[in-house]
């Protein structure tokens, strides 16, 4: 979720690191920093906020060093701050480390290191790596050996790049379950989390495999296994231009961002469960204060509003707290019942939606606790809330939200679990089970993305329609609203969504021969009721597209097209069921010749009423 860049060569490192970090900022931008070798020492400069702030600070320094590492961060352990920004250093300040990933055993390592006299300056998991390398270097006097030894103590995921003042011009990198690419250019050696950071310097890169080590010098890159044996890994040649590289080889940003959703789920959940209990420190409310909450409002607009509808089901079902979901533009113009025990949850992808900001301000004046869920660090929603969960979606470029929506759903699911935990409605064992199943949805989404043939077939059948109807019950109803919105946004095909039980109260009049009805018909407590609605639709000539649970062959008798998704707990079905609807909308938009990244009349953030 963070971005790593490193350079050693003939040119000054400062500008190369800043340019690389700018290209990696989609991976996180709550803080950034660099460590540059200068006159036999390491100069480390970190700043909270975006890379531009770091660049402004560095413009006042005259760093001529030609070797350095940099980092742009999404916080997991420790809040965004200069102290928690990477690079992290050893006690003596002669070793600096940047890290992408999660070190799961950092707490015990930290305690062990403190017991041996190490002094920690941050709240991060990464800093333990700097101290472990420091100890090993004192024994070996060899940076590569020290990094390998330190990595052997780490449990979790990591991409590491390390520099040492005593080995000028050398960068040692290794990885496990976190991306690292290494390349050689005419003017030096490069390392980064993503090819895009070095694409101007070289098109030939090596993607490190787990456990492999690379030693970068100004003149060469050498590769080794964990035992120190030399390797000759395959070189990947990149033909992309910068624009395509930013898209990761996908034809458009929307498809790229849809495929990033498994990572978003994993990153949003990282570090949130400790000893079977949920931890959301950013909320700034004690368990006792959480227990006093007796009403929740979720206020949002558009896609974020649909995430709120999903949250309502979970908050009321698990925590047994009344929850209302309000369109932000309406909330501010009425007089809702708010007391000091009311929690207002403001959901905004951009963190600067004008209606949502106005609603936050109104709620605070009335005495509510306000909690923000947003994708943008330091945004107005974040600044004006009492606490905030940052959805780890990283930069989202396509106007129609996909991965940000899923990040919001996962974040709101965590909030619902936390409230249930504080209220004593869910036991520790239940929290642990739910969290594990929630984490499993990342792999289930990967399975959906691996085979989109049925989705493409259904999209081709619907692309020439004039209108479409989305239906579902329970969680399926909330998913239907989001599916209809996506289709409207990017394909300009008119679509409506209804709770399926409302069909006979008006919408069924729309249906005639060939009219598309897209139904969320997954296995759930209301499955039989949804099937009944499909039968009603088919009897009137509808062309039915059903999102169904794997193994459900009976549904084929009631649908013209069936898109299967893995079986999950009903509480998490919104996560998996949303993904095929995103792909369905995109496929129709592409077939109709629409610009899926920049649909007409829309903007990424709505900063006016």
């Amino acid at each position: 979720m963070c971005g790593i860049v490193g350079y050693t060569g003939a040119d000054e490192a400062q500008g190369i690191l800043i340019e690389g970090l700018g290209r990696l900022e989609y991976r996180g931008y709550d803080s950034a920093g660099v460590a540059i070798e200068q006159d036999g020492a390491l100069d480390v400069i970190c700043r909270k906020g975006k890379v531009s702030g770091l660049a402004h600070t560095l413009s006042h320094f005259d760093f001529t060093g030609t070797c350095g590492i940099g980092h742009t961060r999404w916080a997991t352990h420790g809040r965004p701050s200069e102290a928690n920004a990477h690079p992290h250093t050893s006690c003596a300040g002669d070793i600096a480390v940047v890290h992408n990933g999660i070190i799961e055993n950092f707490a015990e390592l930290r305690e062990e290191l403190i017991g041996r006299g190490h002094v920690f300056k941050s709240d991060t998991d990464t800093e333990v790596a700097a101290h472990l390398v420091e100890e090993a270097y004192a024994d070996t006097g060899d940076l590569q050996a020290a990094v390998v030894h330190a990595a052997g103590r780490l449990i979790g995921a990591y991409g590491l790049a390390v520099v040492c003042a005593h080995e000028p011009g050398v960068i040692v990198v290794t990885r496990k379950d976190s991306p690292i690419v290494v390349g050689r250019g005419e003017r030096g050696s490069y390392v980064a989390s993503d090819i895009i950071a070095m694409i101007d310097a070289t098109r030939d890169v090596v993607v490190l495999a787990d456990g492999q080590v690379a030693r970068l010098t100004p003149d060469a890159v050498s590769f080794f296994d964990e035992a120190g044996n030399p390797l000759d890994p395959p070189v990947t040649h990149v033909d992309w231009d910068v624009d395509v590289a930013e898209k990761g080889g996908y034809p458009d940003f929307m498809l790229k961002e849809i495929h990033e959703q498994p990572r978003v789920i994993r990153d949003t959940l990282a570090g949130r469960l400790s000893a079977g209990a949920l931890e959301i420190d950013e909320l700034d409310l004690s368990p006792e204060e959480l227990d006093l909450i007796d009403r929740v409002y979720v206020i949002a607009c558009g896609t974020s509003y649909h995430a709120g509808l999903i949250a309502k089901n979970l908050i009321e079902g698990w925590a047994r707290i009344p929850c209302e979901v309000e369109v932000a533009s309406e909330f501010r113009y009425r007089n809702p019942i708010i007391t000091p025990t009311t929690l207002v949850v403001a959901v905004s992808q951009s963190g600067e939606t004008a209606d949502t900001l106005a609603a936050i301000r109104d709620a605070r004046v009335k005495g509510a606790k306000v909690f923000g869920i947003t994708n943008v660090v330091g945004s107005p929603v974040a600044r004006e809330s009492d606490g905030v969960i940052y959805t780890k979606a990283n930069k989202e470029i396509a106007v129609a939200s996909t991965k940000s929506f899923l990040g919001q759903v996962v974040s709101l699911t965590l909030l619902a679990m936390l409230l249930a935990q504080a209220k004593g409605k869910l036991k520790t064992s239940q929290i642990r089970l739910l969290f594990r199943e929630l984490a499993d949805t990342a792999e289930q989404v990967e399975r959906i993305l691996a085979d989109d043939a049925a989705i493409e077939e259904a999209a081709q059948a619907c692309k020439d329609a004039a209108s479409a109807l989305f239906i579902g019950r329970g969680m399926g109803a909330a998913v239907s609203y989001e599916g209809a919105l996506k289709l409207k946004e990017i394909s300009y095909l008119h679509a409506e969504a209804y709770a399926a039980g409302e069909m006979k109260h008006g919408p069924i009049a729309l249906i005639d021969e060939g009219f598309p009805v897209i139904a969320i018909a997954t296995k759930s407590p209301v499955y039989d009721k949804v099937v009944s609605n499909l039968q009603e639709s088919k009897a009137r000539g509808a062309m039915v597209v059903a999102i169904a649970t794997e193994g459900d062959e009976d549904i084929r008798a009631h649908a013209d097209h069936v898109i299967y998704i893995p079986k999950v707990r009903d509480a998490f079905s919104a996560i998996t069921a949303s993904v095929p609807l995103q792909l369905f909308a995109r496929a129709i938009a592409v077939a109709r010749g629409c610009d899926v990244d920049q649909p007409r009349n829309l903007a990424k953030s709505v900063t006016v009423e």
Side-chain angles (χ1 to χ4, degrees):
M1 67 201 84
C2 305
I4 289 171
V5 64
Y7 170 77
T8 179
D11 297 323
E12 292 182 6
Q14 176 178 324
I16 294 170
L17 296 179
I18 288 297
E19 183 177 2
L21 290 176
R23 288 185 173 174
L24 294 177
E25 199 167 29
Y26 75 91
R27 300 180 67 88
Y29 42 82
D30 63 37
S31 59
V34 297
I36 298 174
E37 289 181 7
Q38 187 93 346
D39 300 325
L42 297 180
D43 285 310
V44 179
I45 305 292
C46 299
R47 288 294 179 267
K48 180 181 176 181
K50 295 189 175 183
V51 172
S52 59
L54 175 66
H56 177 74
T57 299
L58 288 175
S59 68
H60 299 293
F61 291 85
D62 185 23
F63 289 136
T64 58
T66 60
C67 177
I69 53 177
H71 189 272
T72 181
R73 179 177 186 248
W74 262 122
T76 54
H77 297 81
R79 297 182 180 184
S81 68
E82 286 190 18
N84 290 329
H86 300 216
H88 291 291
T89 59
S90 57
C91 292
D94 55 352
I95 292 171
V97 175
V98 290
H99 165 231
N100 179 22
I102 296 288
I103 299 172
E104 296 173 3
N105 62 333
F106 87 98
E108 57 212 67
L109 289 173
R110 182 185 177 105
E111 185 177 349
E112 174 188 319
L113 288 160
I114 290 173
R116 292 200 292 269
H118 290 265
V119 177
F120 282 73
K121 301 180 285 292
S122 77
D123 300 318
T124 67
D125 58 336
T126 300
E127 194 178 352
V128 299
H131 293 287
L132 288 172
V133 174
E134 179 181 29
E135 283 193 343
Y137 191 80
D139 293 335
T140 64
D142 180 270
L143 183 60
Q144 182 177 326
V147 171
V148 171
H149 182 273
R153 298 290 316 279
L154 306 179
I155 297 174
Y158 54 81
L160 296 170
V162 187
V163 292
C164 175
H166 307 300
E167 295 193 19
V170 175
I171 304 173
V172 176
V173 300
T174 189
R175 62 153 278 181
K176 178 180 177 294
D177 297 331
S178 186
I180 288 288
V181 293
V182 178
R184 274 289 303 165
E186 292 183 2
R187 304 284 295 176
S189 305
Y190 301 78
V191 59
S193 299
D194 191 322
I195 294 168
I196 184 64
M198 63 178 73
I199 200 166
D200 288 339
T202 180
R203 299 301 181 101
D204 295 313
V205 300
V206 171
V207 180
L208 281 194
D210 282 355
Q212 290 183 345
V213 180
R215 185 176 186 271
L216 285 67
T217 68
D219 301 315
V221 180
S222 304
F223 300 92
F224 307 87
D225 63 16
E226 292 168 285
N229 301 309
L231 296 174
D232 186 18
V235 175
T236 300
H237 180 73
V238 179
D239 291 322
W240 308 332
D241 59 21
V242 171
D243 180 61
V244 174
E246 289 176 344
K247 293 177 182 176
Y250 291 95
D252 49 74
F253 283 108
M254 183 177 184
L255 187 60
K256 173 179 180 285
E257 289 157 6
I258 290 172
H259 278 261
E260 288 174 343
Q261 290 178 124
R263 178 194 54 75
V264 172
I265 296 170
R266 293 185 176 105
D267 289 353
T268 301
L269 295 178
R272 293 301 188 187
L273 189 69
S274 177
L278 287 174
E279 292 185 354
I280 306 180
D281 296 336
E282 305 97 310
L283 188 55
D284 279 342
L285 293 176
S286 68
E288 292 75 22
E289 290 175 306
L290 286 170
D291 189 29
L292 291 174
I293 291 172
D294 57 11
R295 182 189 296 269
V296 177
Y297 288 102
V298 180
I299 54 174
C301 304
T303 286
S304 299
Y305 175 79
H306 301 148
L309 294 176
I310 294 164
K312 174 183 172 67
N313 284 279
L314 301 177
I315 291 170
E316 293 188 343
W318 287 338
R320 309 306 295 160
I321 303 172
C323 178
E324 297 182 44
V325 187
E326 299 263 4
V327 175
S329 56
E330 293 295 314
F331 185 84
R332 62 178 298 199
Y333 290 116
R334 66 184 194 85
N335 189 24
I337 300 170
I338 291 177
T339 71
T341 54
T342 299
L343 176 64
V344 171
V345 182
V347 188
S348 168
Q349 178 273 327
S350 67
E352 55 185 3
T353 308
D355 291 315
T356 305
L357 276 170
I360 285 176
R361 293 162 185 158
D362 187 55
R364 288 176 67 91
V365 167
K366 291 182 167 76
K369 297 286 191 300
V370 177
F371 188 57
I373 293 179
T374 181
N375 194 42
V376 181
V377 173
S379 61
V381 164
R383 293 197 304 268
E384 299 195 29
S385 298
D386 297 304
V388 62
I389 290 181
Y390 290 113
T391 58
K392 300 301 172 65
N394 298 331
K395 187 175 183 179
E396 188 176 63
I397 294 175
V399 169
S401 178
T402 53
K403 62 177 182 174
S404 286
F405 168 74
L406 224 61
Q408 291 169 355
V409 172
V410 173
S411 297
L412 287 164
T413 302
L414 286 174
L415 178 61
M417 291 167 64
L418 182 71
L419 290 170
Q421 176 179 279
K423 292 282 186 181
K425 302 297 184 182
L426 289 177
K427 299 176 183 177
T428 299
S429 59
Q430 293 173 305
I431 292 287
R432 190 182 299 116
L433 174 64
L434 288 170
F435 189 90
R436 185 170 65 247
E437 291 185 13
L438 179 58
D440 287 343
T441 61
E443 182 179 349
Q444 290 152 354
V445 170
E446 287 175 339
R447 288 171 55 192
I448 295 169
L449 295 171
D451 183 5
D452 63 356
I455 299 170
E456 289 285 342
E457 181 182 313
Q460 288 298 316
C462 297
K463 66 182 177 65
D464 295 321
S467 187
L469 182 64
F470 288 70
I471 60 172
R473 290 177 181 252
M475 280 293 188
V479 174
S480 294
Y481 295 128
E482 175 61 10
L485 176 62
K486 281 293 154 287
L487 191 60
K488 283 182 280 196
E489 283 181 307
I490 63 172
S491 76
Y492 320 138
L493 192 161
H494 175 260
E496 297 219 28
Y498 277 88
E502 285 289 287
M503 287 286 286
K504 290 189 287 290
H505 298 277
I508 203 168
L510 293 170
I511 296 176
D512 57 11
E513 196 66 34
F515 185 95
V517 173
I518 297 88
I520 311 303
T522 53
K523 289 290 187 179
S524 72
V526 291
Y527 172 78
D528 291 338
K529 299 292 185 183
V530 175
V531 169
S532 176
N533 296 129
L534 297 189
Q535 292 170 329
E536 294 168 352
S537 302
K538 284 291 292 179
R540 288 156 179 82
M543 178 173 60
V544 174
V545 177
I547 309 297
T549 303
E550 285 179 348
D552 180 9
E553 293 300 322
D554 293 339
I555 198 72
R556 291 189 178 278
H558 313 293
D560 300 277
H561 300 274
V562 180
I563 300 168
Y564 286 111
I565 61 175
K567 181 176 176 58
V568 297
R569 183 185 295 267
D570 188 51
F572 304 140
S573 62
I575 296 172
T576 51
S578 296
V579 176
L581 294 183
Q582 295 168 351
L583 292 167
F584 177 74
R586 179 192 168 276
I588 289 178
V590 170
R592 291 163 69 96
C594 302
D595 184 338
V596 298
D597 285 339
Q598 296 180 321
R600 67 189 183 203
N601 303 334
L602 298 177
K604 190 62 182 168
S605 59
V606 182
T607 57
V608 295
E609 257 194 279

